[in-house]
Amino acid sequence: MAPASSSPQRSIRLFDSHAHLVADDQQRYPRNPMKRAANAPPRLPGVIGLPGGAHGANPHNEVPDVSRMLPWMRDENVEGAVAVQKRMIYRYDNSYILDSSDAYPEIFSAVVILDAEDAQTPTLVRSYIEKNGLCGVRLFGGRELDGTMPWLNSERALDTWAVANDHGIVMDLEVLAIGGGGPSVPTIIELARRYANVRVVLDHMLEPEVEDENFGFDARFAPLAAEPNIFFKFTSINLDIYRETHTPADQALRAAVDMFGADRIMWGSDIGTSSGTYKDMVQRMLDATRLLDERERHAVLYETGKKVFVKGGVRA
């Protein structure tokens, strides 16, 4: 198949499935930063703003206030974006994400972050759906040393899964593939089957171990490919990992598309967490699509994300 051009083309339509909006106004939207857990998996230098990688000792981290995000998107032909709550700054206060999507409903679809074990979470999700047109929820809880996340299918989490299923919204999960494929993969598959009206989106491709067979997309990932309501975000975190491990990003994306299909993979910038300018993030992703054909490229860069997060041209 003919590789796509690596130069930014204004005719290429883009949809950003993973943008962490952060407000300049700290009086109205006060910050409450989190510290990385002591048992969290280590990250490579140069990934999510950590110094010492290809971005240098002082990586450039842009603050995507909506006032800047909108012109950045316009300049790069990004027609819409998923505004994902920034837990590391705001924890479970989703005010800025919801206010931004309410102010620009034709541009932003909101994904809130809530505590999986909080008894009020299902009620909050219903409220956000009714009042704010919420398109998705991202649950969080503790992580065991072996990488498992018991909250994924805890009794209280299942109440939220049921609400998401009733309303047909997205369940957006950040679950790392510790040990390749991830110890949580069987649980994710079970939940996707049980709640078939939910579109399950797995962030950062589960961060596969890129030096494993097939760029980490080995046989342990294969069961996910058979589930039609499971989707994947290919983000700047993946591109950072490939860069720092000298892994060809275009070949890794080609392997992912071959395993899951382009209609199951979507681009996300991870602006607000990953370092680099928005323009740079777009260009790096365009470069990564060199081995895709035109249809696949359109799906990954635009169609899949919009299909999953937007219904009928409006927020889900």
Side-chain angles (χ1 to χ4, degrees):
M1 63 186 65
S5 169
S6 63
S7 62
Q9 300 173 28
R10 291 297 175 259
S11 61
I12 296 175
R13 302 167 72 188
L14 301 172
F15 183 91
D16 186 348
S17 68
H18 200 86
H20 294 293
L21 302 183
V22 178
D24 287 343
D25 186 347
Q26 296 188 43
Q27 295 298 315
R28 185 176 179 184
Y29 304 104
R31 300 181 183 183
N32 186 19
M34 297 182 65
K35 293 184 177 180
R36 190 167 169 78
N39 65 342
R43 292 192 183 275
L44 293 167
V47 175
I48 64 166
L50 296 181
H55 279 295
N58 298 295
H60 182 76
N61 292 92
E62 298 200 305
V63 179
D65 183 273
V66 167
S67 65
R68 282 184 292 279
M69 190 68 185
L70 290 172
W72 291 343
M73 292 171 64
R74 186 168 56 249
D75 289 347
E76 301 307 317
N77 206 30
V78 179
E79 296 184 6
V82 179
V84 180
Q85 167 71 349
K86 179 70 173 175
R87 178 171 172 259
M88 288 189 289
I89 289 182
Y90 298 117
R91 306 198 186 206
Y92 298 124
D93 179 357
N94 293 276
S95 301
Y96 190 54
I97 289 298
L98 293 171
D99 286 353
S100 298
S101 64
D102 285 347
Y104 302 97
E106 73 285 1
I107 302 294
F108 296 115
S109 301
V111 169
V112 297
I113 289 181
L114 295 168
D115 185 348
E117 300 293 0
D118 189 331
Q120 296 303 310
T121 291
T123 300
L124 281 174
V125 172
R126 287 193 193 94
S127 174
Y128 293 153
I129 292 171
E130 294 169 2
K131 296 178 181 178
N132 308 97
L134 184 72
C135 79
V137 60
R138 205 179 185 202
L139 295 179
F140 269 90
R143 187 196 305 274
E144 300 298 319
L145 292 176
D146 64 357
T148 57
M149 299 180 177
W151 54 264
L152 263 179
N153 60 348
S154 69
E155 183 176 347
R156 283 188 170 169
L158 292 182
D159 290 338
T160 303
W161 278 88
V163 172
N165 192 69
D166 288 344
H167 292 273
I169 65 170
V170 171
M171 185 64 76
D172 195 334
L173 300 175
E174 183 176 18
V175 182
L176 307 187
I178 301 170
S184 297
V185 164
T187 301
I188 292 169
I189 290 174
E190 178 185 347
L191 289 166
R193 291 175 178 176
R194 180 174 177 179
Y195 301 101
N197 199 37
V198 171
R199 300 181 300 287
V200 181
V201 177
L202 304 180
D203 290 338
H204 316 305
M205 306 296 298
L206 298 181
E207 295 189 32
E209 296 152 331
V210 297
E211 295 176 346
D212 282 1
E213 178 185 355
N214 202 36
F215 305 102
F217 302 114
D218 56 24
R220 294 168 291 186
F221 271 73
L224 292 166
E227 307 303 321
N229 61 328
I230 293 180
F231 302 85
F232 305 83
K233 290 183 186 176
F234 190 96
T235 71
S236 294
I237 284 183
N238 299 105
L239 293 171
D240 285 351
I241 292 171
Y242 299 146
R243 181 194 63 215
E244 299 304 321
T245 56
H246 306 290
T247 301
D250 55 351
Q251 294 182 33
L253 179 56
R254 177 72 259 171
V257 169
D258 287 343
M259 175 166 280
F260 303 115
D263 60 344
R264 303 270 297 284
I265 298 173
M266 65 193 79
W267 166 66
S269 69
D270 198 45
I271 188 71
T273 295
S274 292
S275 56
T277 67
Y278 196 64
K279 180 179 289 292
D280 177 55
M281 291 177 178
V282 169
Q283 184 59 60
R284 290 170 67 202
M285 187 61 198
L286 291 173
D287 290 343
T289 65
R290 279 187 293 237
L291 300 180
L292 306 186
D293 64 29
E294 185 176 349
R295 184 200 66 80
E296 292 169 332
R297 191 185 210 209
H298 177 68
V300 170
L301 294 178
Y302 180 83
E303 187 174 25
T304 303
K306 187 166 185 178
K307 174 185 68 177
V308 169
F309 284 101
V310 181
K311 287 184 177 178
V314 297
R315 289 184 294 172

